[in-house]
């Protein structure tokens, strides 16, 4: 079984904003299947779409991407 790498945080931010996949799909004019695949990290939205999602959810686009830096303590 291939482990899926978590690249985006779309599902998490939607939950924090109390919004659904269906709502986001309607806002973007995308299919529910497409948004669901982003939420499970099966596929990734384009950077342009990440920016659009950030605007719709009123968050910084960086909040929608998993950090590539590890905190060093």
């Amino acid at each position: 079984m291939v482990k899926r790498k978590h690249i985006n945080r779309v599902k998490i931010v939607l939950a924090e904003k109390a919004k659904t996949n269906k709502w986001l799909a309607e806002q973007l004019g995308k299919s529910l299947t497409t948004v669901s695949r982003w939420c499970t990290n099966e596929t990734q939205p384009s950077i342009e779409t990440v920016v659009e999602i950030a605007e719709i959810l009123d968050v910084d686009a960086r909040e929608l991407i998993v950090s590539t830096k590890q905190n060093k303590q």
Side-chain angles (χ1 to χ4, degrees), residues 7-10 13 47 50-51 53-55 59-68:
I7 297 171
N8 78 65
R9 301 180 67 247
V10 174
V13 177
I47 193 68
V50 168
V51 170
I53 294 168
E55 290 171 357
V59 297
D60 189 299
R62 292 175 289 186
E63 290 184 47
L64 296 170
I65 306 295
V66 174
S67 176
T68 58

Side-chain angles (χ1 to χ4, degrees), residues 7-68:
I7 297 171
N8 78 65
R9 301 180 67 247
V10 174
K11 182 177 182 175
I12 295 164
V13 177
L14 280 173
E16 290 170 354
K17 297 288 186 170
K19 302 292 183 187
T20 64
N21 295 8
K22 182 180 178 185
W23 176 86
L24 182 60
E26 290 169 353
Q27 299 302 305
L28 292 168
K30 302 281 187 189
S31 73
L32 179 56
T33 302
T34 296
V35 174
S36 294
R37 291 177 77 194
W38 295 338
C39 289
T40 60
N41 275 275
E42 187 176 330
T43 63
Q44 300 304 320
S46 69
I47 193 68
E48 292 86 357
T49 303
V50 168
V51 170
E52 190 175 356
I53 294 168
E55 290 171 357
I56 290 168
L57 293 174
D58 193 30
V59 297
D60 189 299
R62 292 175 289 186
E63 290 184 47
L64 296 170
I65 306 295
V66 174
S67 176
T68 58

